[in-house]
Amino acid sequence: MSYHEAKLAYAKLGVDTDEAINKIKSVPLSLHCWQGDDVAGFDQRGPLSGGIQTTGNYPGKATTPEELMADLDLAFKLIPGKHKLNLHASYAIFENGEFADRDEIQPKHFKKWVNYAKERGMGLDFNPTFFSHSMVKDGLTLSSPDPIIRQFWVEHGKRCLKISEYFAEELGTPCVMNIWIPDGYKDVPADRLSPRARFKESLDEILSTPYDKSKVYVCLESKVFGIGVESYTVGSSEFCMSYVSQKGIMPLMDNGHYHPTEMVSDKISAMLLFNEKIALHITRPVRWDSDHVVLFDDETKEIAKEIVRNNALDRIFIATDFFDASINRISAWVTGARNVQKALLFAALQPNKKLKECQDSGDMTALMVLQEDLKTMPLGDVWAEYLNQQNISSDYLESIRQYEKTVLEARA
Ligand code: RNT
Ligand code: ZN
């Protein structure tokens, strides 16, 4: 089918394909830097910790800032649209033998990233890194009973607020700063209250740092469990939801962070009624929070539908969060990000008014028939047209293979 025919087919349902393309073409995604190097970062050499895991050993992973930047460039080139880059504090860049620990990092350690972003006209988002570090004691950071540990991480959080503000000021785009801590227990704890009370106090302390709320949007990411942290997670959903609403900061929902039958797509509408803005980590949990590359699957589509049909594109910060070390990492970025975009386009192509009328008139029969029909509508042709308009080829494997041969394979 051609775009013209697809346009006619959608028009029969009352859907304008040009309008749909226009709606999604300027939606910025926050692309996570950590797919490029298996969440290693540049500030320490220890293993990845905190209950998250990368598996695989695909050759050519980025091990220096220059390599990561080059890989990101290719990914951004192959992803349509204009996006933000999402950095973790562990990606600080130290020069001339200098080093600053997490409780000492400063904006200057991210100057190269700011330059990178400036040169490409993109914004930056940020994340304090509360994992993969020797000051994580017994798996705990902000909730540790040890005041020295807690203080170290509170200071880290405060410094990250300053760095986020620096990003926003330098780039003229607000910076979303997401707080996620890995704290929890492998086995049944004796006291579930005190760690949460300490987490709350630590967060209060971090947020007592003055920062410009119009420039930095702080959010808090909840989680149900992690590897080695199966029985108890300090930053549970209830904790985080309650905390953000009390403090007027943003909730962040990662769709790998709930029980497998619980769906983030179903939570979005509820959160929109009580929060001006919300943030998402789009990932693909396979049986657990495995952070597989995002596919064009049912839940990704359902999440996109909730964003688009509730007119929430400007109220929801969409970030990607996955890390697969078993395939070409640039391809992982591009596949995952394109699938989020494709899902948004799919959502923008729904005859939402018609569907809603079926629901409101109680005609669930027609609703089911129509929803099933929509699954085989010519989305692919509209997607191809969108890529075409953006001057982007639908085939990205070739360019990635080329880069793999010339650049990745040359890396030791
Ligand atoms: C972990 C969280 C968190 C991390 C990143 C690296 O389960 O999803 O968002 O993936 O901060
Ligand atoms: Zn996440």
Side-chain angles (χ1 to χ4, degrees), residues 241-280:
M241 265 204 279
S242 310
Y243 189 84
V244 302
S245 63
Q246 194 184 64
K247 292 296 259 197
I249 59 169
M250 248 191 331
L252 185 145
M253 295 189 289
D254 176 315
N255 61 305
H257 288 193
Y258 298 87
H259 285 286
T261 60
E262 241 183 293
M263 295 296 151
V264 162
S265 53
D266 184 59
K267 299 175 189 296
I268 291 172
S269 50
M271 300 302 269
L272 283 174
L273 289 174
F274 298 95
N275 295 275
E276 199 186 306
K277 291 194 183 331
I278 67 173
L280 298 177

Side-chain angles (χ1 to χ4, degrees), residues 34 39 52 88 131 180 221 223 254 257 281 289 321 323:
W34 51 92
V39 210
I52 52 179
H88 244 284
F131 54 83
W180 169 73
E221 177 179 12
K223 185 161 175 171
D254 176 315
H257 288 193
H281 271 182
D289 182 31
D321 181 15
F323 22 98

Side-chain angles (χ1 to χ4, degrees), residues 237-389:
S237 175
E238 294 72 17
F239 177 96
C240 292
M241 265 204 279
S242 310
Y243 189 84
V244 302
S245 63
Q246 194 184 64
K247 292 296 259 197
I249 59 169
M250 248 191 331
L252 185 145
M253 295 189 289
D254 176 315
N255 61 305
H257 288 193
Y258 298 87
H259 285 286
T261 60
E262 241 183 293
M263 295 296 151
V264 162
S265 53
D266 184 59
K267 299 175 189 296
I268 291 172
S269 50
M271 300 302 269
L272 283 174
L273 289 174
F274 298 95
N275 295 275
E276 199 186 306
K277 291 194 183 331
I278 67 173
L280 298 177
H281 271 182
I282 312 270
T283 188
R284 178 166 54 106
V286 180
R287 305 188 192 283
W288 67 287
D289 182 31
S290 59
D291 289 293
H292 279 62
V293 175
V294 173
L295 299 182
F296 186 62
D297 59 12
D298 284 350
E299 176 59 358
T300 309
K301 283 186 264 187
E302 207 58 28
I303 289 174
K305 277 154 73 178
E306 287 297 313
I307 300 173
V308 173
R309 69 185 166 204
N310 295 324
N311 282 324
L313 277 167
D314 56 351
R315 292 175 61 198
I316 303 188
F317 293 97
I318 308 171
T320 46
D321 181 15
F322 47 81
F323 22 98
D324 191 336
S326 75
I327 58 172
N328 181 297
R329 293 170 184 82
I330 299 160
S331 148
W333 263 322
V334 179
T335 302
R338 281 194 183 200
N339 279 327
V340 175
Q341 294 178 306
K342 199 183 274 179
L344 289 170
L345 181 62
F346 173 81
L349 289 167
Q350 301 288 302
N352 289 315
K353 201 164 154 262
K354 211 180 225 133
L355 293 166
K356 195 171 134 49
E357 273 163 19
C358 291
Q359 177 177 324
D360 289 346
S361 65
D363 193 351
M364 305 313 269
T365 307
L367 181 59
M368 185 190 281
V369 171
L370 190 49
Q371 290 199 118
E372 287 306 294
D373 272 350
L374 284 163
K375 291 182 179 170
T376 48
M377 288 292 287
L379 166 73
D381 299 289
V382 185
W383 173 250
E385 168 67 15
Y386 165 58
L387 292 178
N388 206 20
Q389 287 180 16

Side-chain angles (χ1 to χ4, degrees), residues 36-37 40-42 45 60-68 71 411-412:
D37 71 338
F42 303 128
R45 298 198 181 283
K61 102 169 159 190
T63 56
T64 64
E66 293 70 30
E67 288 176 354
L68 187 58
D71 294 358
R411 288 177 189 167

